[in-house]
Amino acid sequence: INAFAKLTKREKEVSKLLSHGFTSKDIAKALSIRAGTVDEYRDNIMSKLDAKNTADMIRIIYENGLLEE
């Protein structure tokens, strides 16, 4: 998926952490940002990957081997 290339560095970080099961609160703490900001990143990632929801986003990430990038 070329859409993954469109993600910012931070969006890639957030998508990887989400894929590993971290909550928005956990990610926010780890990256020193607000949980609401994490949710905004998630929305942007889902839009760019054309995912219907978070589970669909994670499926797309795994099926396309995007965690290795």
Side-chain angles (χ1 to χ4, degrees), residues 38-53:
V38 174
D39 294 336
E40 289 174 24
Y41 282 126
R42 179 190 293 123
D43 290 343
N44 291 340
I45 295 162
M46 289 186 346
S47 176
K48 289 178 181 182
L49 297 181
D50 198 26
K52 298 175 189 78
N53 52 46

Side-chain angles (χ1 to χ4, degrees), residues 4-69:
F4 200 69
K6 295 179 184 176
L7 298 182
T8 66
K9 182 180 176 185
R10 184 65 99 180
E11 288 169 344
K12 288 179 183 179
E13 286 178 302
V14 170
S15 67
K16 288 178 184 182
L17 292 169
L18 287 168
S19 297
H20 283 61
F22 289 94
T23 65
S24 292
K25 186 177 177 182
D26 294 334
I27 295 169
K29 192 172 187 179
L31 300 179
S32 300
I33 58 177
R34 295 181 315 104
T37 304
V38 174
D39 294 336
E40 289 174 24
Y41 282 126
R42 179 190 293 123
D43 290 343
N44 291 340
I45 295 162
M46 289 186 346
S47 176
K48 289 178 181 182
L49 297 181
D50 198 26
K52 298 175 189 78
N53 52 46
T54 302
D56 192 36
M57 175 190 71
I58 292 169
R59 177 192 59 78
I60 291 167
I61 289 169
Y62 273 108
E63 285 182 358
N64 292 280
L66 302 176
L67 292 178
E68 288 79 41
E69 292 186 14

